[in-house]
Amino acid sequence: MNVLQGLRVVEGSAFVAAPLSGMTLAQMGADVIRFDGVGGGIDFHRWPCLADGTSLFWMGMNKGKRSVAVDVRRPEGQEIVTRLIVDPRPDGGILLSNFPARGWLADERLRALRDDLVYVNIIGNPDGSTAVDYTVNPSSGFAYATGPAGGAMPTNHVLPAWDIATGLTATTGLLAAERHRSRTGEGQLVTLSLADVAFAMVANLGYLAQAQVLGESRPPIGNDMYGAFGRDFATKDGRRVMVVAISLKQWEALVDATGIGPQLGAIEQALGVDLRREGDRFAARDALAAFIAPWFATRTFATVTETFDAHGVCWGPYQTFRQLVDEDWRCSPRNPVFTDLEQPGIGVVRTPGSPLHFTALGREQPRGAPRLGEHTVEILADDLGMTSSEIGALHDAGIVASPPS
Amino acid sequence: MNVLQGLRVVEGSAFVAAPLSGMTLAQMGADVIRFDGVGGGIDFHRWPCLADGTSLFWMGMNKGKRSVAVDVRRPEGQEIVTRLIVDPRPDGGILLSNFPARGWLADERLRALRDDLVYVNIIGNPDGSTAVDYTVNPSSGFAYATGPAGGAMPTNHVLPAWDIATGLTATTGLLAAERHRSRTGEGQLVTLSLADVAFAMVANLGYLAQAQVLGESRPPIGNDMYGAFGRDFATKDGRRVMVVAISLKQWEALVDATGIGPQLGAIEQALGVDLRREGDRFAARDALAAFIAPWFATRTFATVTETFDAHGVCWGPYQTFRQLVDEDWRCSPRNPVFTDLEQPGIGVVRTPGSPLHFTALGREQPRGAPRLGEHTVEILADDLGMTSSEIGALHDAGIVASPPS
């Protein structure tokens, strides 16, 4: 039993935000049916891929869902998906999509068939024009705040962070709208713009007000933390680590571990700062780093690890993706969030379940992604009550597809 | 009326993830009571700040909440907050926190007072040890995939993306657990680790499998898009723009707009690629950029804007935070998500509401943040039924505080 057991969501999606939103629900136990075209949608071969075009991305974004492959360019295909969307079960009637809400996916058309439909539609710009994470991020201001200090060239972050925030926000909206429906009987269209999520977040973090009220655009400061002491250092054996001291306790742990206590008075005097203050530690960060760097440069990563953990320093190692999967216990089957799972056509894959632990219900067992169309037959038969000859005819006509057996 | 009207959440929090989680709920209409120490918690002066220490960050993260200031180091203060947490109203009994779930905030202590409590607790590492966005991000692999191509130095992204993902995931978990409670009567502790959210997302995006199955750590490629054609260009007048062509339609729009069609055959022949393929456009990106760059270099930003919009090119301008607030209509009161609001002690601030539009209920009117302790008296009187002399005594003893009137 998982926490959203019984909830039934139809997902029409591509790329990151909407698939992630649906997967978040699936990993909490919802029955999420993703529909794709016969042969897969626009993201079916999204990178990273194997040499044969099998997408590791698609596999990652669709774990725990059921897959139905239907040609929705044809009326018969649209009819099948429509019936799934407006299915009358009380916990059904939920559509999650980043496709344009028009034509056969228009809200009014679907709502005429089930008036308490919960329909979450993710759009790009608030006026409905196209925007993707890659075009919104440059406009957010963050690219000019990321990268080396003094740099004039913008640096995109590579993580599709706005897509992620949008997908998760969509999930909160879907659950809130479903809650409202269960209490009032009222369904609704819920729209969410990627650009709105991004720019609202810039405001939420205070950077918009900093620009508006103070006239300042926060500049890039490399890997330094903003407003407190934190930065990266190189160890004797060529590893890099990030060290953070936000609270006074964290600062004292760092001072103890690195033995720089005796030097602090000189820094305070020279720069006129009080290093017990968070903002003053930020102001004095270059001087502090100059005193701390030699400590790292004369110690191996193993020694740094041991010393920092003994002192309770807040820190983390820099790792490549390979180091993360090969060396970090948090990303290994020692952590119940991860398991090694055989994924058909790919091999053994380190696979996460939901990071949420619902302690009364136990952890979700991590599940893999379906093959494209893996549940086509099951869904047509069990959910739509079709006979095997009807299902056979749909296959023959190329309106639906199942994987080669 | 807003979608979560009636839901009552007590929030004990600092920094990004938990405050953002609570604000997401508040902006959907929940009554979110954030408790802080008298004088404010550890994030009350988090940067960016005004010269007097007023935090634009704190203001951004606490919009739409009620604020109660209580000294929870003292038993009388703990008792007040405990009563708010375990309040018997059916839609109450929800605690959201990133404080350690021990001592007076231990799950078993609170659950003994209300056994259907929904308690969402955000932790750092999955074993409960300290981790923050700044230490998890370097370990995620993304720092070695961000920044200039060929760069060996890791580049942190500045956006606290893991905190954001964790806060929003916490909100999904809270709503799911509340749904479960409303159907079964069962409450529970829900735990969520920041590191788990981050590393599960690395896997969700396919990068963990790429490392594990293919032995590859995705390298940094500057501002280039991965697996398709997309990158930044400079205009004649010194602006930079990001151009993206994922779908064939987007690619054709870009080719039309920039007039590079006649050159494509030569590129295809020279490099042995088929530019109708997404992955081949990525492989040929430097050659393509070499042909496209002169088009930008000879046109002003205004001309680029006009031409691209006429052709339906998928693109976005690079902007600083100031340009975002000064020049972008999506971040202006022309967009109903934003309004200009007088925030006491700060001035007029461009303020977003929820990016979610629940169309049956209308948009949330953007609200500002409370002053610290603004609702102390109201909460003690209305929610806990205290008399004004009891409330006065608590103020006199310094157990609670209200803002200067």
Side-chain angles (χ1 to χ4, degrees):
Chain A
M1 153 105 217
N2 215 321
V3 71
L4 292 182
Q5 206 79 41
L7 193 74
R8 216 276 279 277
V9 178
V10 175
E11 175 191 310
S13 71
F15 298 117
V16 180
L20 177 65
S21 178
M23 188 167 72
T24 305
L25 295 163
Q27 292 184 322
M28 290 194 283
D31 175 21
V32 177
I33 299 176
R34 172 168 166 152
F35 69 87
D36 279 289
V38 171
I42 192 174
D43 61 346
F44 191 54
H45 298 291
R46 190 78 195 96
W47 285 32
C49 281
L50 301 185
D52 69 359
T54 302
S55 170
L56 302 174
F57 169 83
W58 197 92
M59 173 198 73
M61 280 293 158
N62 294 299
K63 296 188 291 282
K65 298 177 191 172
R66 294 201 289 164
S67 170
V68 58
V70 186
D71 184 354
V72 293
R73 292 167 308 181
R74 293 159 73 176
E76 302 92 325
Q78 296 173 2
E79 173 62 21
I80 288 168
V81 176
T82 298
R83 284 177 60 194
L84 291 171
I85 294 169
V86 302
D87 182 289
R89 75 189 72 192
D91 285 346
I94 305 177
L95 173 60
L96 166 66
S97 179
N98 64 316
F99 296 154
R102 58 174 182 251
W104 72 281
L105 285 176
D107 181 62
E108 48 281 18
R109 177 182 172 276
L110 296 169
R111 198 165 301 284
L113 300 167
R114 179 162 175 171
D115 69 357
D116 69 346
L117 180 71
V118 169
Y119 186 170
V120 177
N121 191 233
I122 296 172
I123 61 178
N125 283 316
D127 62 0
S129 62
T130 301
V132 297
D133 186 288
Y134 277 96
T135 60
V136 164
N137 184 45
S139 296
S140 73
F142 274 101
Y144 280 122
T146 301
M153 294 290 278
T155 303
N156 293 0
H157 50 238
V158 163
L159 180 75
W162 306 120
D163 270 338
I164 292 169
T166 300
L168 295 170
T169 302
T171 305
T172 69
L174 187 150
L175 290 170
E178 194 270 340
R179 181 180 187 275
H180 178 77
R181 183 178 72 174
S182 75
R183 293 175 175 234
T184 65
E186 181 179 52
Q188 62 193 305
L189 175 66
V190 182
T191 60
L192 180 64
S193 142
L194 174 73
D196 282 349
V197 170
F199 302 153
M201 201 64 77
V202 176
N204 295 343
L205 292 163
Y207 297 130
L208 206 67
Q210 185 178 22
Q212 188 184 25
V213 178
L214 298 175
E216 296 170 6
S217 284
R218 173 183 163 176
I221 51 172
N223 291 341
D224 287 9
M225 195 176 168
Y226 184 62
F229 185 74
R231 72 186 298 163
D232 55 333
F233 292 96
T235 65
K236 186 183 177 181
D237 49 350
R239 288 292 300 267
R240 294 193 80 82
V241 303
M242 181 79 195
V243 176
V244 166
I246 308 171
S247 68
L248 193 57
K249 195 175 146 202
Q250 288 170 344
W251 170 243
E252 289 168 348
L254 179 64
V255 169
D256 279 355
T258 57
I260 59 160
Q263 279 84 53
L264 299 183
I267 295 176
E268 288 186 322
Q269 204 161 21
L271 301 178
V273 294
D274 173 357
L275 292 174
R276 295 181 59 82
R277 290 190 190 150
E278 197 178 318
D280 283 16
R281 296 195 288 270
F282 178 67
R285 66 191 185 279
D286 288 335
L288 290 170
F291 281 91
I292 294 174
W295 185 88
F296 282 96
T298 53
R299 280 165 180 82
T300 62
F301 179 66
T303 303
V304 168
T305 300
E306 196 181 325
T307 309
F308 277 4
D309 287 347
H311 284 82
V313 172
C314 185
W315 74 287
Y318 279 86
Q319 299 180 139
T320 63
F321 293 124
R322 284 202 68 174
Q323 287 172 315
L324 174 63
V325 73
D326 289 344
E327 299 171 13
D328 196 321
W329 76 267
R330 296 171 295 181
C331 194
S332 81
R334 280 180 55 199
N335 180 351
V337 170
F338 287 93
T339 195
D340 278 327
L341 210 69
E342 177 70 31
Q343 184 74 34
I346 296 176
V348 173
V349 176
R350 186 74 42 85
T351 304
S354 173
L356 287 158
H357 184 196
F358 294 92
T359 58
L361 302 169
R363 273 204 184 271
E364 189 221 359
Q365 188 61 26
R367 289 173 292 165
R371 286 173 298 157
L372 184 71
E374 179 174 337
H375 305 93
T376 299
V377 171
E378 166 187 311
I379 287 167
L380 297 180
D382 298 350
D383 292 75
L384 298 183
M386 290 187 185
T387 64
S388 52
S389 68
E390 287 172 318
I391 296 169
L394 288 167
H395 276 94
D396 292 344
I399 292 165
V400 304
S402 295
S405 52
Chain B
M1 150 108 217
N2 216 319
V3 71
L4 293 182
Q5 206 80 38
L7 192 74
R8 217 278 279 276
V9 178
V10 175
E11 175 192 310
S13 72
F15 299 116
V16 181
L20 176 65
S21 178
M23 189 167 72
T24 305
L25 295 163
Q27 291 183 323
M28 291 193 283
D31 175 21
V32 177
I33 300 175
R34 172 166 167 156
F35 68 87
D36 280 288
V38 171
I42 192 173
D43 61 347
F44 191 55
H45 297 292
R46 190 78 196 94
W47 284 34
C49 280
L50 301 185
D52 70 358
T54 302
S55 169
L56 301 175
F57 168 84
W58 197 91
M59 172 200 72
M61 280 292 158
N62 294 299
K63 295 188 290 283
K65 299 178 191 173
R66 294 200 289 164
S67 170
V68 57
V70 187
D71 184 354
V72 292
R73 293 166 307 182
R74 290 159 75 176
E76 301 92 328
Q78 296 172 3
E79 173 63 21
I80 288 168
V81 176
T82 298
R83 282 177 62 194
L84 291 170
I85 294 168
V86 302
D87 182 288
R89 76 189 72 193
D91 285 347
I94 304 177
L95 173 61
L96 166 66
S97 178
N98 65 316
F99 296 154
R102 58 175 183 251
W104 72 281
L105 285 175
D107 180 64
E108 50 279 18
R109 177 181 172 275
L110 296 168
R111 198 164 302 283
L113 299 168
R114 179 162 174 171
D115 68 358
D116 68 347
L117 179 72
V118 169
Y119 186 170
V120 177
N121 190 233
I122 296 172
I123 62 178
N125 283 315
D127 63 359
S129 62
T130 302
V132 297
D133 186 288
Y134 277 97
T135 61
V136 164
N137 184 45
S139 297
S140 73
F142 274 100
Y144 280 121
T146 302
M153 294 291 279
T155 303
N156 293 0
H157 48 237
V158 162
L159 180 76
W162 306 120
D163 270 338
I164 291 168
T166 300
L168 294 170
T169 301
T171 304
T172 70
L174 187 149
L175 290 170
E178 195 269 340
R179 182 180 187 274
H180 179 78
R181 183 178 72 175
S182 75
R183 292 174 177 237
T184 65
E186 182 179 53
Q188 62 193 304
L189 175 67
V190 182
T191 60
L192 179 64
S193 142
L194 174 73
D196 282 349
V197 170
F199 301 154
M201 201 63 78
V202 176
N204 296 342
L205 292 163
Y207 298 130
L208 206 66
Q210 184 178 24
Q212 187 185 25
V213 177
L214 298 174
E216 295 170 9
S217 284
R218 174 182 162 176
I221 50 172
N223 291 341
D224 287 8
M225 196 176 165
Y226 184 61
F229 184 74
R231 72 187 298 162
D232 56 332
F233 292 95
T235 65
K236 186 183 179 183
D237 49 350
R239 288 291 300 266
R240 294 192 79 81
V241 303
M242 181 80 196
V243 176
V244 166
I246 308 173
S247 68
L248 192 57
K249 194 176 146 203
Q250 288 170 346
W251 172 242
E252 289 167 348
L254 180 62
V255 169
D256 280 354
T258 57
I260 59 161
Q263 279 84 54
L264 298 183
I267 295 177
E268 288 186 323
Q269 204 162 21
L271 300 178
V273 294
D274 173 357
L275 292 174
R276 294 181 60 82
R277 290 192 189 148
E278 195 179 319
D280 283 16
R281 295 195 289 272
F282 178 67
R285 66 193 186 279
D286 287 336
L288 290 170
F291 281 89
I292 295 173
W295 185 88
F296 282 96
T298 53
R299 280 165 181 82
T300 62
F301 179 67
T303 304
V304 169
T305 299
E306 196 181 325
T307 310
F308 277 4
D309 287 348
H311 284 81
V313 172
C314 184
W315 75 286
Y318 279 85
Q319 299 179 140
T320 63
F321 294 124
R322 282 201 70 172
Q323 287 172 314
L324 175 62
V325 73
D326 288 344
E327 299 171 15
D328 196 322
W329 75 267
R330 298 172 293 181
C331 193
S332 82
R334 280 181 53 201
N335 180 351
V337 170
F338 287 92
T339 195
D340 278 326
L341 211 70
E342 177 71 31
Q343 184 74 36
I346 296 175
V348 173
V349 176
R350 187 73 43 87
T351 304
S354 173
L356 287 158
H357 183 197
F358 295 91
T359 57
L361 302 169
R363 273 205 184 271
E364 190 221 359
Q365 188 62 24
R367 290 173 291 165
R371 287 173 297 158
L372 183 72
E374 179 174 338
H375 304 94
T376 299
V377 170
E378 167 187 312
I379 287 167
L380 297 181
D382 299 349
D383 293 73
L384 298 183
M386 291 187 186
T387 64
S388 52
S389 69
E390 287 171 318
I391 296 168
L394 288 168
H395 276 94
D396 292 345
I399 292 165
V400 304
S402 295
S405 51

